[in-house]
Amino acid sequence: MKLIKTQEAVGQVLCHDMTQIIKGVTKDAVFRKGHVVREEDIPVLLSIGKDHIYIWENDDTMLHEDEAAQILREICEGDYMKASQPKEGKIELTAEIDGLFLADIEGMRAVNSLGDMMIASRASGFPVKKGDKLCGTRIIPLVIKREKMEEAKKTAGDKPLMRLLPMKKKTFGVITTGNEVFYGRIQDTFTPVLKEKLEEYGCSMVSHVVLDDDHEKITKAIMDMADTGVEMVFCTGGMSVDPDDKTPLAIKNTGAKIISYGAPVLPGAMFLLAYKEGLPICGLPGCVMYAKRTIFDLILPYLLADEPVTASQLAGLGNGGLCLNCQECHFPNCSFGHGV
């Protein structure tokens, strides 16, 4: 770039967008990159504080902010995403479908640590709707060395830093456990809550049984549901450490791989997650029945997107794992479940 006085810029080519900010009226580029400055443009440029401006001088070792932003876009963009046109050196990605948004947090940290560039995304691990904004990219200066952007591509690796996974409308079975329900001492109020929550995602309950606290019966019910081809199994009740609560033992005895029994999330500490040959089996604590948002809201989108949940991931939910039970719930636009 070459710096010149604005009054001497007639006939020169602008090398970046010129932004005009009028409070309550506009914040937009009054002149775009590539605009050839005319005599009548001088007063406008001066009015937005541009006593001096940069004009473009070709240099093969440097990249303009818009070109660099395109490279950052390529680093980030995964399937089912739409990129905006460069504007003031910035490109944004939006969702083309409803789905689970996932960001490579460590990859973003590594690229952002290079300096002179930035990638900012919405929180990873939450469902998004078609049209939702996912991330924005830009470089900080107006031009940047070409070799530095090559370093950014190498740092990011071969896979996009952003993923958007479609969530499937799955079938599920529910196993309601507990002598108190089985013998009619209390009404089953858990299953209706679970059905309502799953119906929000278009899922349907195709099997439901009510059993007493007999772990062998519970194990058999899980196996029977698996044989029928249900895509998820949820066991409600019997998840505490009381001697009559046998659901964790029953799930273990199916031969499923236990990912975690317990999670650093409140509500939801007694949550159990297991997989049996790819079939998710969840032991749901009582809080899922009465609390508006719990561990189940954080994990369900992963199950619907067929994205495996790991023990390390669950352990990371401790940061932000405390729901504040706000009088008016704004989840997921709050700290709950953002993890690390």
Side-chain angles (χ1 to χ4, degrees), residues 194-236:
L194 203 54
K195 283 183 62 180
E196 183 180 0
K197 192 174 288 288
L198 270 294
E199 284 171 356
E200 293 178 10
Y201 291 97
C203 300
S204 55
M205 186 175 73
V206 296
S207 182
H208 179 217
V209 296
V210 180
L211 300 173
D212 60 11
D213 292 314
D214 184 325
H215 68 87
E216 292 181 349
K217 292 179 182 177
I218 300 170
T219 297
K220 183 178 184 304
I222 296 172
M223 301 291 283
D224 289 345
M225 286 187 180
D227 289 341
T228 65
V230 298
E231 296 172 285
M232 300 180 292
V233 175
F234 302 118
C235 300
T236 68

Side-chain angles (χ1 to χ4, degrees), residues 151-171:
E151 183 183 4
K153 290 195 287 186
K154 182 178 179 181
T155 299
D158 297 330
K159 297 180 180 179
L161 295 181
M162 311 293 163
R163 290 189 292 154
L164 183 56
L165 307 181
M167 293 189 294
K168 301 175 182 177
K169 298 176 180 180
K170 294 190 174 186
T171 60

Side-chain angles (χ1 to χ4, degrees), residues 4 38 62 64 75 93 110 122 134 164 168 193 199 245 265 295-296 298-299 339:
I4 65 172
R38 302 163 299 178
M62 305 295 288
H64 183 271
I75 287 173
L93 296 177
R122 70 190 300 135
L134 303 178
L164 183 56
K168 301 175 182 177
V193 171
E199 284 171 356
D245 288 343
V265 176
I295 179 68
F296 189 51
L298 305 180
I299 299 305

Side-chain angles (χ1 to χ4, degrees), residues 49-325:
K50 305 300 181 184
D51 290 332
H52 298 80
I53 61 172
Y54 287 113
I55 60 172
W56 183 250
E57 289 188 319
N58 288 328
D59 183 344
D60 290 339
T61 68
M62 305 295 288
L63 290 174
H64 183 271
E65 59 177 355
D66 287 349
E67 297 171 302
Q70 289 284 12
I71 292 175
L72 291 177
R73 187 267 305 165
E74 293 169 2
I75 287 173
C76 294
E77 187 176 5
D79 294 337
Y80 310 112
M81 299 179 191
K82 181 180 180 180
S84 67
Q85 291 299 313
K87 181 180 179 182
E88 299 171 335
K90 179 169 61 179
I91 294 178
E92 294 178 341
L93 296 177
T94 55
E96 289 192 309
I97 61 167
D98 297 354
L100 172 65
F101 173 68
L102 297 173
D104 181 347
I105 297 173
E106 291 306 314
M108 272 203 298
R109 187 195 306 272
V111 172
N112 286 333
S113 295
L114 295 175
D116 290 338
M117 64 189 74
M118 57 77 64
I119 301 169
S121 78
R122 70 190 300 135
S124 175
F126 291 92
V128 298
K129 295 290 187 180
K130 180 180 179 180
D132 282 352
K133 189 184 300 184
L134 303 178
C135 79
T137 70
R138 73 174 304 164
I139 64 165
I140 308 304
L142 291 175
V143 294
I144 192 169
K145 287 186 177 295
R146 186 182 297 271
E147 63 184 28
K148 188 151 192 177
M149 297 312 300
E150 291 298 321
E151 183 183 4
K153 290 195 287 186
K154 182 178 179 181
T155 299
D158 297 330
K159 297 180 180 179
L161 295 181
M162 311 293 163
R163 290 189 292 154
L164 183 56
L165 307 181
M167 293 189 294
K168 301 175 182 177
K169 298 176 180 180
K170 294 190 174 186
T171 60
F172 64 95
V174 177
I175 301 172
T176 302
T177 69
N179 291 340
E180 67 277 22
V181 178
F182 183 74
Y183 290 109
R185 298 167 189 160
I186 65 170
Q187 183 180 359
D188 174 20
T189 55
F190 206 141
T191 303
V193 171
L194 203 54
K195 283 183 62 180
E196 183 180 0
K197 192 174 288 288
L198 270 294
E199 284 171 356
E200 293 178 10
Y201 291 97
C203 300
S204 55
M205 186 175 73
V206 296
S207 182
H208 179 217
V209 296
V210 180
L211 300 173
D212 60 11
D213 292 314
D214 184 325
H215 68 87
E216 292 181 349
K217 292 179 182 177
I218 300 170
T219 297
K220 183 178 184 304
I222 296 172
M223 301 291 283
D224 289 345
M225 286 187 180
D227 289 341
T228 65
V230 298
E231 296 172 285
M232 300 180 292
V233 175
F234 302 118
C235 300
T236 68
M239 290 304 301
S240 77
V241 294
D242 292 342
D244 289 332
D245 288 343
K246 304 294 180 63
T247 302
L249 174 62
I251 295 174
K252 179 181 178 183
N253 287 345
T254 66
K257 179 182 178 182
I258 306 294
I259 302 301
S260 180
Y261 176 27
V265 176
L266 292 172
M270 305 305 291
F271 173 75
L272 186 151
L273 175 63
Y275 290 97
K276 181 175 176 59
E277 298 175 356
L279 172 68
I281 304 171
C282 297
L284 302 181
C287 63
V288 176
M289 175 177 57
Y290 62 81
K292 187 170 182 62
R293 298 298 179 184
T294 71
I295 179 68
F296 189 51
D297 296 282
L298 305 180
I299 299 305
L300 179 58
Y302 285 83
L303 305 184
L304 300 181
D306 290 327
E307 179 70 8
V309 178
T310 67
S312 175
Q313 176 186 342
L314 288 170
L317 290 175
N319 177 50
L322 178 65
C323 177
L324 300 180
N325 296 311

